[in-house]
């Protein structure tokens, strides 16, 4: 059984939130434009608009963290990652996500590989976050993860109680 960890509220400029609404609407509108030899609507564009809108809506709702008996579970739209408490190092970070090198960057859903700074010890992270800063860095299996729990200090204390090494 997993104990859910609340996520920090999403942080995104209003213009970016409008883009996530506007892209599916623009695609849906384009499906009704006349095309040479084919009368509208164009079902393939409607399907793309629907799938894009569904992805934008569903992805942030699938992001989550859970504390299990074995380790920390990170849930994303496309899968889950288990980080065992044994060997897990965790700490707060004042750093921020930089450029996305691979992954998703929707408002409230930042997953994948990102540059990271200005932390001198960490240059790249795997993110599963709702915002670009104010998070926690976890090191496990030679990889560094950036997460954004709602209560970072409480999250670190819970990890420490389960055997993770929490650093200042």
């Amino acid at each position: 059984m997993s104990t859910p960890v609340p996520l920090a509220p999403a942080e995104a400029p209003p213009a970016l939130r409008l883009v996530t609404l506007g892209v599916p609407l623009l695609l849906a509108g384009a499906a009704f434009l006349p095309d040479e030899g084919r009368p509208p609507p164009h079902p393939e564009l409607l399907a793309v608009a629907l799938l894009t809108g569904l992805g934008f809506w569903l992805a942030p709702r699938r992001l989550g963290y859970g504390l299990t008996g074995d380790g920390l579970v990170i849930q994303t739209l496309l899968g889950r990652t288990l980080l065992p408490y044994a060997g897990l190092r965790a700490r707060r970070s004042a750093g921020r996500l930089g450029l996305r090198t691979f992954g998703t960057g929707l408002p409230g859903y930042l997953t994948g590989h990102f540059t990271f700074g200005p932390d001198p010890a960490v240059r790249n992270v795997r993110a599963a976050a709702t915002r670009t800063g104010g998070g926690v860095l976890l090191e496990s299996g030679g990889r560094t993860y950036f997460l954004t729990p709602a209560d970072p200090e409480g999250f670190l204390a819970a990890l420490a109680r389960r055997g993770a090494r929490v650093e200042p």
Side-chain angles (χ1 to χ4, degrees):
M1 188 160 130
S2 176
T3 303
V5 176
L7 302 173
E11 170 187 274
L16 189 54
R17 290 181 187 269
L18 283 174
V19 167
T20 61
L21 176 64
V23 168
L25 290 176
L26 185 64
L27 287 168
F32 292 95
L33 293 175
D35 189 12
E36 292 180 26
R38 289 184 55 208
H42 305 294
E44 63 280 356
L45 272 179
L46 285 174
V48 169
L50 178 66
L51 290 174
T52 302
L54 185 63
F56 286 176
W57 176 81
L58 184 61
R61 285 156 182 76
R62 294 286 301 171
L63 182 62
Y65 318 134
L67 301 171
T68 69
D70 300 328
L72 169 68
V73 174
I74 302 169
Q75 178 71 48
T76 63
L77 181 64
L78 299 178
R80 50 186 275 153
T81 302
L82 175 67
L83 304 179
Y85 300 124
L88 181 65
R89 291 179 30 203
R91 67 180 171 94
R92 278 297 301 261
S93 177
R96 300 183 67 77
L97 294 177
L99 297 174
R100 182 180 69 244
T101 57
F102 180 79
T104 306
L106 297 173
Y109 188 77
L110 303 161
T111 62
H113 301 259
F114 286 77
T115 61
F116 194 77
D119 192 320
V122 179
R123 298 180 56 106
N124 296 290
V125 296
R126 292 181 183 220
T130 56
R131 50 181 46 196
T132 59
V136 172
L137 288 175
L138 304 173
E139 293 178 25
S140 178
R143 295 182 176 145
T144 304
Y145 297 84
F146 178 76
L147 308 181
T148 52
D151 177 12
E153 295 304 324
F155 178 64
L156 290 172
L159 289 175
R161 284 191 302 274
R162 288 168 168 80
R165 191 170 92 197
V166 175
E167 300 172 348

